[in-house]
Amino acid sequence: MYQRWGAMLLLLCMPFALLWSQTEKGTAETVKKASSDRLVLELNYVGASALPDSMTTKWYSRGANFYLAYDIPLGKGGHFSFSPGIGFSSHNLFNNRLFERDSSKLLAIPIDSSTTYKRNKLSANYLEVPLELRWRSAADKSGNRFKVGIGLRVGYLLNVHTKYYGTVVNDANIQYVTKIKESKLPHRNEIRFGPTLRLGYGGFNLVGFYSLTPIFKKGSAPEITTFSVGISFNSL
């Protein structure tokens, strides 16, 4: 498993190494000086790289991240920097399963095909620490730069819950519409981490994240591992 993680990180670092080798030596005047504090807003599509059999997710599964990052210049040229940060991350997987507890496990029960529902989602929210190595080109005539960021995000799970809005059948076999929320689901992985990649120009960036840890503990609950791709608004 560690060999797989090492290979992934090596592949992610290759474009950063190429940019380093191709960047000409610059001076502090070649790159505009910017504020060290940066607010980062990310809007993402959320997908899954691992799911239980027959569990599917909707195309509109989504998430949002909000970070405060601090930029630390590396070297005298101003092209490279290291950025630690802190923030909040939310992933919402709209899917076709209901999660139920039994005596020792968390089960993902398929929703009956005859059931009508408008919304059913699994939400996981994290307090996260993003760490990122960044490269910036020299500013062009408009004052913008091309940018690349490669890093790691480590998150602590604040809560994971489900929300269902649709029909149910009571003991009298009467069908009615209701909202159901299951909070504090058991067998959670408290820590999540994975590599990140950011490509951008000016204040607009494309971002990606791949979790190396599932939401729930293997063997005690359904294995669900997420990834996200989206857009980021920040000055990097």
Side-chain angles (χ1 to χ4, degrees):
M1 179 164 52
Y2 292 103
Q3 292 178 345
R4 177 169 63 91
W5 294 352
M8 289 179 62
L9 292 176
L10 179 61
L11 289 173
L12 285 172
C13 289
M14 287 178 64
F16 190 79
L18 290 172
L19 285 170
W20 184 292
S21 65
Q22 293 174 5
T23 301
E24 296 181 357
K25 292 182 178 180
T27 62
E29 290 75 22
T30 62
V31 178
K32 273 189 173 181
K33 185 178 180 180
S35 170
S36 295
D37 297 301
R38 289 172 172 80
L39 295 176
V40 182
L41 173 64
E42 297 178 358
L43 303 176
N44 302 306
Y45 161 77
V46 177
S49 59
L51 286 172
D53 291 342
S54 77
M55 180 176 177
T56 59
T57 60
K58 305 297 184 180
W59 65 267
Y60 48 82
S61 295
R62 56 190 180 267
N65 309 328
F66 180 77
Y67 302 111
L68 175 63
Y70 189 81
D71 199 69
I72 303 172
L74 300 177
K76 297 180 179 180
H79 293 287
F80 292 90
S81 65
F82 170 70
S83 176
I86 188 168
F88 174 80
S89 174
S90 177
H91 276 187
N92 299 283
L93 278 176
F94 292 82
N95 64 89
N96 63 339
R97 293 292 182 98
L98 295 175
F99 290 80
E100 297 182 0
R101 304 175 180 88
D102 72 356
S103 58
S104 60
K105 291 186 177 182
L106 180 67
L107 305 177
I109 309 299
I111 298 176
D112 190 273
S113 58
S114 63
T115 300
T116 302
Y117 64 96
K118 291 185 177 181
R119 182 170 62 253
N120 182 61
K121 71 175 183 176
L122 173 69
S123 297
N125 302 304
Y126 296 86
L127 177 67
E128 288 198 316
V129 174
L131 304 172
E132 197 170 62
L133 288 174
R134 297 170 169 178
W135 172 87
R136 302 178 183 86
S137 69
D140 58 20
K141 293 180 180 180
S142 61
N144 294 318
R145 297 183 287 270
F146 289 100
K147 298 163 286 187
V148 177
I150 296 173
L152 177 74
R153 285 209 322 246
V154 181
Y156 175 77
L157 184 64
L158 298 174
N159 68 76
V160 56
H161 63 270
T162 62
K163 284 185 178 181
Y164 171 84
Y165 178 40
T167 59
V168 296
V169 178
N170 62 17
D171 294 337
N173 202 31
I174 298 174
Q175 190 177 77
Y176 63 98
V177 177
T178 188
K179 295 180 180 179
I180 302 173
K181 181 177 180 180
E182 288 286 343
S183 301
K184 299 181 179 179
L185 296 177
H187 309 300
R188 307 174 298 175
N189 274 321
E190 302 292 340
I191 302 299
R192 179 182 76 169
F193 62 93
T196 62
L197 176 64
R198 186 188 310 272
L199 304 171
Y201 174 75
F204 177 82
N205 303 269
L206 300 176
V207 294
F209 168 74
Y210 184 89
S211 177
L212 296 175
T213 52
I215 297 175
F216 301 105
K217 293 180 180 178
K218 189 174 182 180
S220 300
E223 184 177 356
I224 300 173
T225 305
T226 61
F227 67 88
S228 62
V229 291
I231 56 177
S232 169
F233 303 95
N234 73 307
S235 55
L236 193 68

